[in-house]
Amino acid sequence: MPVLPLRRLPLARARNPLAACIVVGAAWASTHGWRLLGSKDTRSSRSLLHVSVEPPEQSLLGDLYTATSLPLLAVTCVLGWLTRPTADAEQVPKGFQQFQFQYLLVWFLAITADWLQGPYVYELYASYGWSKADIARLFVAGFASSMLTGTFIGSVADAWGRKFCAILYCILYGLACLTKHVNVYGVLMLGRLLGGAATSLLFSTFECWMVGEHKRCGFPDGLLRYMFGLMFFVQYLAAIGAGWLAQLAASSMPLTQVADSDALWYGGSTLPFDLSLAFLLTAMPAIYFMWQENYGERRGEGVAGLSQVALSFQAGCDALASDWRVPLLGLAVAAFESSMYVFVFNWTPALDGCSAGTPPHGLIFSAFMMACMCGSSLFNLLDASIAPIKALWPVCLLAAGALATVASSLFTTSSEALIFFSFLAFEACVGAYFPCVSTVKSELVPEEARAGVYNVYRVPLNMCVVLLLLADLESPNRISWWDDATFPANVVFGRLE
C-alpha cells in the first residue's frame, strides 16, 4: 500500500508583504526539520488510534524552490508596498470608517473559519480509514450541495435578509465542524452537505451585504473598489495565518479515539475544525450586534416567506435575461473558477510525478501565495481609468496558457521547473482575477437580485467539479505513466478510487 503524505492545498492567498516574509520563514523551517508533515498508511480498517508524524524526505530539489522564493519575496514586498490599500482622507465621508470596520472584522472571522478547514478535510477522512472512493463521494456530496443550494440560497438572502443569512452561515458551518469528530460515514456525509450549503452563503451573502450597505449609506462608488481591495487584502492575510495555524494545531497532538466509543475522536486533524468553530462562534455575536439588516430591492410589498423567495429568484432570472453581459460574465466565472479547483486538486501530484524525490511542499505553497499577491498588486497598479472588464479577458487567456503549458509538459518532457513556473503564472492570474471580477460583478449585476445571481454563477462551477469527480470514480482507464509504486499521490490526480 503506498504511503499518502499529508498535502498542503494552495488555498491561501495573500498580499501582505510582512505576512509573506513570515510564511516563507515558516515554510523553510517546515522543510528543514520541523515535524509538521504527517504520513500514514491508508488502511481499510478504521481502528487507527494515532496519526504518526514523520519528517519529510530531503533532496536537492529544494534548491529550485528556494532560489525562486527569495527573489519572488522581494518582488512581492515591493508590489505590496506600492499597492497597499489607501483612500484620500478628503474623499472619505462621515461614517465610512465605521462601516469599513464593521464589515472587515466580520469578514475576517468568517473567511478564517473557512480557510482553517481546507487543508485537512481529505487528511481527516483518510486518517479515519475510509477508502479513496468513499472520500471522493464525500467531496462530490459537498460540491453537489453547494450547486443545488446555490440556486435558491441567494434568493433567500435577498428576501429574508443578508444579516440573517450570514448568521445562518455560521450555524451551518459550525454544525459541519462538529460532525468531523464522528467517524460514521452518514454523519460525515451530513457534514459535507451542511458545508456545501454554508459555502454558498459565504461567497454571496457577505459580499452582497457590503455592496448593499455601501449603496444604502450613499457612499461614493469610487470607494467601492477600495473596499474590494481591503476585502481581498484581509482575505489573503487570513488565509496565510489560517494555513499555518491549522498546521500547528493538527501537529500539536495525535488523533485519538475517545475511550469506550467506536465513533468519537479528538485531536490531530480535528483540531483545525475546532478552531474554525471558535471563529464562527465569535463571528455570530459580531454580526448580530454590528450589522444592520439589508435586503435585495423588493418587488412586492407585503409579500413574505416563500413567496418573497420566489420573487427574488424570479428577479435573478430576469437579471440574467435583461442584459446579455450578465450571463456571459457568469460563464467566465464558472470557467475560470473551475480551472482553479482543478489546479487545487492537481498541483501536488503534478510536481511529485516529475520529481526524483519529495519536493518541499511548504516552500512551494508559500511561493504560490506570493505569486497570487503579485497578481493582485499588478491589478491594483492599473490606472483607474481602465475598465476592469478590459483587464479580465487577458487574465483568463494568460491563465489558460499557463495550464496548457503544464498539460503539455506533463505528457512530454515532464520538466519540473517548467511546470512549477507555469503554476506560478497561473497563481498570479488568480490573484488578478478576484478583485477584477468582483468589481465587474458589482457594476453589471442589479442590486435587487445580486445574491441570487451570484449563486447562479456558482451552479455551473460546482457542476463541472462534480462531473470531474464522478468521471474519476467511474472511468476504468487511469493514467498509466504514473504507477502506484512511484506516485503515491495518485489519490489527487485522476486516481480517486
Side-chain angles (χ1 to χ4, degrees), residues 19 37 63 91 125 164 173 184 187 199 204 206 217 270 272 315 342 349 356 371 378 405 411-412 431 470 474 484 486:
L37 295 177
D63 293 343
Q91 297 179 356
Y125 296 152
F164 169 82
Y173 228 1
V184 175
V187 176
T199 300
S204 61
F206 287 82
C217 294
T270 66
V342 172
L378 289 173
T405 302
F411 285 97
T412 54
L470 289 176
E474 296 172 358
D484 287 346
T486 59

Short mmCIF file of all heavy atoms in Angstrom, two decimals, residues 19 37 63 91 125 164 173 184 187 199 204 206 217 270 272 315 342 349 356 371 378 405 411-412 431 470 474 484 486:
data_model
loop_
_atom_site.label_atom_id
_atom_site.label_comp_id
_atom_site.label_asym_id
_atom_site.label_seq_id
_atom_site.Cartn_x
_atom_site.Cartn_y
_atom_site.Cartn_z
N ALA A 19 3.43 39.54 6.13
CA ALA A 19 2.94 38.19 6.37
C ALA A 19 3.64 37.21 5.44
O ALA A 19 3.91 36.07 5.81
CB ALA A 19 1.43 38.14 6.16
N LEU A 37 4.80 17.66 8.94
CA LEU A 37 4.15 17.00 7.82
C LEU A 37 3.92 15.54 8.19
O LEU A 37 4.86 14.80 8.42
CB LEU A 37 5.01 17.10 6.55
CG LEU A 37 5.20 18.52 6.01
CD1 LEU A 37 6.12 18.47 4.81
CD2 LEU A 37 3.86 19.10 5.64
N ASP A 63 16.57 23.36 -3.78
CA ASP A 63 17.35 24.46 -4.33
C ASP A 63 16.53 25.25 -5.35
O ASP A 63 16.60 26.48 -5.41
CB ASP A 63 18.63 23.91 -4.98
CG ASP A 63 19.57 23.33 -3.95
OD1 ASP A 63 19.39 23.62 -2.75
OD2 ASP A 63 20.47 22.58 -4.35
N GLN A 91 -11.83 62.39 0.62
CA GLN A 91 -12.92 61.74 -0.09
C GLN A 91 -13.69 60.77 0.79
O GLN A 91 -14.71 60.23 0.36
CB GLN A 91 -12.37 60.98 -1.30
CG GLN A 91 -11.71 61.87 -2.34
CD GLN A 91 -11.17 61.07 -3.51
OE1 GLN A 91 -11.21 59.86 -3.52
NE2 GLN A 91 -10.65 61.77 -4.51
N TYR A 125 -10.40 12.44 6.67
CA TYR A 125 -11.12 11.26 6.20
C TYR A 125 -10.18 10.07 6.01
O TYR A 125 -10.52 8.93 6.34
CB TYR A 125 -11.83 11.57 4.88
CG TYR A 125 -12.89 12.63 4.98
CD1 TYR A 125 -13.20 13.43 3.87
CD2 TYR A 125 -13.60 12.85 6.15
CE1 TYR A 125 -14.18 14.41 3.95
CE2 TYR A 125 -14.57 13.83 6.23
CZ TYR A 125 -14.86 14.61 5.12
OH TYR A 125 -15.82 15.58 5.20
N PHE A 164 -29.32 37.97 8.43
CA PHE A 164 -29.87 36.69 8.88
C PHE A 164 -29.12 35.52 8.25
O PHE A 164 -28.78 34.54 8.93
CB PHE A 164 -31.36 36.62 8.53
CG PHE A 164 -31.97 35.26 8.71
CD1 PHE A 164 -32.38 34.82 9.95
CD2 PHE A 164 -32.14 34.41 7.61
CE1 PHE A 164 -32.95 33.56 10.11
CE2 PHE A 164 -32.70 33.15 7.76
CZ PHE A 164 -33.11 32.73 9.02
N TYR A 173 -22.06 26.01 9.21
CA TYR A 173 -20.66 25.60 9.17
C TYR A 173 -20.19 25.10 10.52
O TYR A 173 -19.34 24.20 10.61
CB TYR A 173 -19.80 26.78 8.71
CG TYR A 173 -18.81 26.43 7.63
CD1 TYR A 173 -18.73 25.16 7.09
CD2 TYR A 173 -17.93 27.39 7.13
CE1 TYR A 173 -17.84 24.85 6.09
CE2 TYR A 173 -17.02 27.09 6.13
CZ TYR A 173 -16.98 25.81 5.61
OH TYR A 173 -16.08 25.50 4.62
N VAL A 184 -18.46 8.19 11.52
CA VAL A 184 -19.58 7.45 10.96
C VAL A 184 -19.86 8.06 9.58
O VAL A 184 -20.04 9.28 9.48
CB VAL A 184 -20.83 7.54 11.85
CG1 VAL A 184 -22.02 6.86 11.18
CG2 VAL A 184 -20.56 6.91 13.21
N VAL A 187 -22.74 10.49 9.12
CA VAL A 187 -22.55 11.77 9.80
C VAL A 187 -21.56 12.64 9.02
O VAL A 187 -21.76 13.85 8.86
CB VAL A 187 -22.05 11.56 11.24
CG1 VAL A 187 -21.75 12.89 11.93
CG2 VAL A 187 -23.09 10.78 12.05
N THR A 199 -20.97 27.17 2.24
CA THR A 199 -20.06 27.80 1.28
C THR A 199 -20.81 28.70 0.31
O THR A 199 -20.34 29.79 -0.03
CB THR A 199 -19.28 26.72 0.51
OG1 THR A 199 -18.53 25.93 1.44
CG2 THR A 199 -18.33 27.36 -0.48
N SER A 204 -21.54 34.64 -1.26
CA SER A 204 -22.56 35.50 -1.86
C SER A 204 -23.10 36.50 -0.84
O SER A 204 -23.12 37.70 -1.09
CB SER A 204 -23.70 34.67 -2.45
OG SER A 204 -24.33 33.90 -1.44
N PHE A 206 -22.08 37.68 2.18
CA PHE A 206 -21.25 38.69 2.82
C PHE A 206 -20.91 39.83 1.85
O PHE A 206 -20.98 41.01 2.20
CB PHE A 206 -19.97 38.04 3.36
CG PHE A 206 -20.21 37.19 4.57
CD1 PHE A 206 -20.68 35.89 4.45
CD2 PHE A 206 -19.99 37.69 5.85
CE1 PHE A 206 -20.92 35.10 5.57
CE2 PHE A 206 -20.22 36.92 6.97
CZ PHE A 206 -20.70 35.62 6.83
N CYS A 217 -25.95 53.57 2.34
CA CYS A 217 -25.38 54.71 3.07
C CYS A 217 -25.01 55.86 2.15
O CYS A 217 -24.64 56.94 2.63
CB CYS A 217 -24.15 54.27 3.86
SG CYS A 217 -24.50 53.10 5.20
N THR A 270 -8.65 16.89 13.65
CA THR A 270 -9.93 17.52 14.04
C THR A 270 -9.72 18.90 14.66
O THR A 270 -10.68 19.69 14.72
CB THR A 270 -10.69 16.64 15.05
OG1 THR A 270 -9.96 16.58 16.30
CG2 THR A 270 -10.90 15.23 14.52
N PRO A 272 -8.06 21.68 13.63
CA PRO A 272 -8.37 22.84 12.79
C PRO A 272 -9.86 23.13 12.69
O PRO A 272 -10.28 24.29 12.62
CB PRO A 272 -7.78 22.45 11.43
CG PRO A 272 -6.68 21.50 11.75
CD PRO A 272 -7.17 20.72 12.93
N ALA A 315 -36.40 37.57 -9.86
CA ALA A 315 -35.60 38.76 -10.17
C ALA A 315 -34.21 38.36 -10.66
O ALA A 315 -33.66 39.00 -11.56
CB ALA A 315 -35.48 39.64 -8.93
N VAL A 342 -9.54 22.66 -10.32
CA VAL A 342 -8.72 21.60 -10.90
C VAL A 342 -7.26 21.78 -10.49
O VAL A 342 -6.56 20.81 -10.15
CB VAL A 342 -8.86 21.61 -12.43
CG1 VAL A 342 -7.87 20.65 -13.07
CG2 VAL A 342 -10.28 21.23 -12.83
N PRO A 349 0.38 16.34 -6.95
CA PRO A 349 0.82 15.16 -7.71
C PRO A 349 1.50 15.51 -9.02
O PRO A 349 2.36 14.75 -9.49
CB PRO A 349 -0.50 14.41 -7.96
CG PRO A 349 -1.56 15.42 -7.83
CD PRO A 349 -1.09 16.38 -6.79
N ALA A 356 12.36 13.45 -8.71
CA ALA A 356 13.10 12.27 -8.29
C ALA A 356 12.94 12.02 -6.80
O ALA A 356 13.19 10.91 -6.33
CB ALA A 356 14.57 12.41 -8.64
N ALA A 371 2.99 34.57 -5.53
CA ALA A 371 2.62 34.84 -6.91
C ALA A 371 1.21 35.42 -6.98
O ALA A 371 0.94 36.34 -7.77
CB ALA A 371 2.70 33.55 -7.73
N LEU A 378 -0.49 43.80 -9.17
CA LEU A 378 -0.42 44.30 -10.54
C LEU A 378 -1.77 44.82 -11.01
O LEU A 378 -1.85 45.83 -11.72
CB LEU A 378 0.08 43.19 -11.47
CG LEU A 378 1.55 42.81 -11.31
CD1 LEU A 378 1.88 41.59 -12.17
CD2 LEU A 378 2.46 43.98 -11.68
N THR A 405 0.47 24.96 -20.82
CA THR A 405 1.90 24.64 -20.75
C THR A 405 2.15 23.48 -19.78
O THR A 405 2.97 22.59 -20.06
CB THR A 405 2.69 25.88 -20.29
OG1 THR A 405 2.45 26.95 -21.21
CG2 THR A 405 4.18 25.58 -20.24
N PHE A 411 2.80 15.58 -20.40
CA PHE A 411 2.69 14.49 -21.36
C PHE A 411 3.87 14.43 -22.33
O PHE A 411 3.86 13.62 -23.25
CB PHE A 411 1.39 14.62 -22.15
CG PHE A 411 0.18 14.23 -21.35
CD1 PHE A 411 -0.59 15.20 -20.72
CD2 PHE A 411 -0.17 12.90 -21.20
CE1 PHE A 411 -1.70 14.85 -19.96
CE2 PHE A 411 -1.27 12.54 -20.45
CZ PHE A 411 -2.04 13.51 -19.83
N THR A 412 4.89 15.28 -22.12
CA THR A 412 6.07 15.24 -22.99
C THR A 412 7.34 15.13 -22.15
O THR A 412 7.78 14.05 -21.82
CB THR A 412 6.13 16.48 -23.91
OG1 THR A 412 6.04 17.67 -23.11
CG2 THR A 412 4.97 16.45 -24.92
N GLY A 431 -4.64 35.79 -8.64
CA GLY A 431 -4.58 36.97 -7.80
C GLY A 431 -5.17 38.20 -8.46
O GLY A 431 -5.83 39.02 -7.81
N LEU A 470 -17.04 12.55 -10.54
CA LEU A 470 -17.81 11.37 -10.92
C LEU A 470 -17.13 10.62 -12.06
O LEU A 470 -17.13 9.39 -12.10
CB LEU A 470 -19.23 11.77 -11.32
CG LEU A 470 -20.14 12.25 -10.19
CD1 LEU A 470 -21.48 12.70 -10.75
CD2 LEU A 470 -20.35 11.15 -9.15
N GLU A 474 -15.91 6.64 -12.08
CA GLU A 474 -16.50 5.66 -12.98
C GLU A 474 -15.55 5.17 -14.07
O GLU A 474 -15.73 4.10 -14.62
CB GLU A 474 -17.74 6.27 -13.64
CG GLU A 474 -18.84 6.60 -12.64
CD GLU A 474 -19.97 7.38 -13.27
OE1 GLU A 474 -19.86 7.68 -14.49
OE2 GLU A 474 -20.95 7.70 -12.58
N ASP A 484 1.53 3.14 -8.97
CA ASP A 484 1.36 3.29 -7.53
C ASP A 484 2.68 3.25 -6.77
O ASP A 484 2.82 3.82 -5.70
CB ASP A 484 0.43 2.21 -6.99
CG ASP A 484 -1.02 2.47 -7.40
OD1 ASP A 484 -1.31 3.60 -7.84
OD2 ASP A 484 -1.82 1.55 -7.27
N THR A 486 5.61 4.50 -7.68
CA THR A 486 6.41 5.72 -7.79
C THR A 486 5.60 6.98 -7.64
O THR A 486 6.15 8.07 -7.60
CB THR A 486 7.11 5.77 -9.16
OG1 THR A 486 6.11 5.74 -10.19
CG2 THR A 486 8.05 4.59 -9.32
#
